[in-house]
Each structure stands twice: as structure tokens, then as C-alpha cells.
Amino acid sequence: MVQGKPKIQRQMSEWYKLYRLPPGATVRYQYSIFDSVQVGRTTVSAEDASSLQRAMPRLDMLVLLPGEIRLVELKPNAQLKDVGQVLQYERYLQRDIFLKPHLSQPIKRVLCSLYENASVRAACVPENIEYIVIPV
């Protein structure tokens, strides 16, 4: 892990909250996505449940708004592989057992970076992912 990455991501999330979210948005940091496919394979043992919790993918920010869910990934230096990660997280979110009441709402995909990457920006466009470069 890059030294200081959680701190940088937290600062990025605060910028996003301040400049991109309306008041009253519900924000969950490091949201563990409980994909029904993974949950369905477990037994009722405490050991299985514990390992499941650690195995779930974690979204940097989940934002619940009236009429919209936002999936926000915070990458200090976004790369092309991160575009794929955003798309995969959306598939997992669509099967999240705790989000079922909200899943009739559209999911907006957002990828934030501290540095401009023209290749990443170009890859985001056809996938309808908002690419935001946060000022350092």
C-alpha cells in the first residue's frame, strides 16, 4: 500500500463532500458491498461470517441521495484498471443485500483522481463514468 493512502483518500472524500454533494446526502466510507452471490455461498458458522466480512469488496464512498445512488472511487493517481474496478463495483452493488430498497434508483459512477490522465478520462466517457480531478 502507498504510504499515507488512507489519509489522502480521506482528504479527497472531504473535498468531494464539500464541492459535489448536496446537504443531507448519506455517505458511507469504505462501504463493504455484500454481494448476494457471495453471501449466498456461506454457512451460518461464525468463522465463515468473519471471513466473508473481510472478503467483501470495499467501495471508497457510497452516497445515497433522493433518487440516486453514487458509487465513488477515490484514486490518488487513477489508471485504466480503475475504470474496470468502478464497473465491477457497480455490478456488485446491484446485488447488495442491504441496498435492495434503493436499487430501483439509478447508480451514478464517479472516479476521482488527484492527477489528470487523458487515457482514463477517455475510457470513462463511453462507460458514463464521471471523471473528476480534485485540485491538490
Side-chain angles (χ1 to χ4, degrees):
M1 178 183 340
V2 176
Q3 185 73 5
K5 186 176 176 184
K7 182 179 177 186
I8 290 170
Q9 284 184 319
R10 186 60 154 185
Q11 291 170 340
M12 292 172 72
S13 70
E14 290 303 318
W15 182 92
Y16 187 83
K17 269 180 59 178
L18 185 63
Y19 294 104
R20 296 295 176 131
L21 290 183
T26 301
V27 179
R28 299 283 179 256
Y29 297 103
Q30 295 298 311
Y31 179 79
S32 291
I33 303 170
F34 279 83
D35 182 345
S36 61
V37 170
Q38 296 301 321
V39 173
R41 71 172 177 76
T42 63
T43 65
V44 293
S45 77
E47 181 180 323
D48 206 13
S50 176
S51 66
L52 179 68
Q53 169 73 29
R54 290 189 304 273
M56 291 296 101
R58 279 192 316 275
L59 179 60
D60 292 332
M61 284 178 70
L62 174 70
V63 180
L64 300 175
L65 294 162
E68 181 180 87
I69 297 171
R70 286 193 198 170
L71 175 166
V72 182
E73 270 300 293
L74 306 166
K75 301 293 183 184
N77 190 10
Q79 303 297 308
L80 283 173
K81 65 183 171 124
D82 300 319
V83 175
Q85 182 182 21
V86 168
L87 295 171
Q88 186 63 47
Y89 280 0
E90 179 184 24
R91 284 191 281 281
Y92 294 153
L93 272 181
Q94 290 171 339
R95 298 187 303 242
D96 186 286
I97 62 172
F98 298 113
L99 285 181
K100 275 189 180 191
H102 303 280
L103 290 176
S104 62
Q105 300 173 356
I107 298 175
K108 180 178 181 177
R109 300 176 293 252
V110 181
L111 176 58
C112 298
S113 181
L114 295 177
Y115 303 99
E116 177 64 44
N117 182 321
S119 296
V120 172
R121 184 174 293 283
C124 284
V125 171
E127 302 298 345
N128 198 27
I129 297 172
E130 182 180 11
Y131 180 63
I132 299 171
V133 177
I134 294 174
V136 178

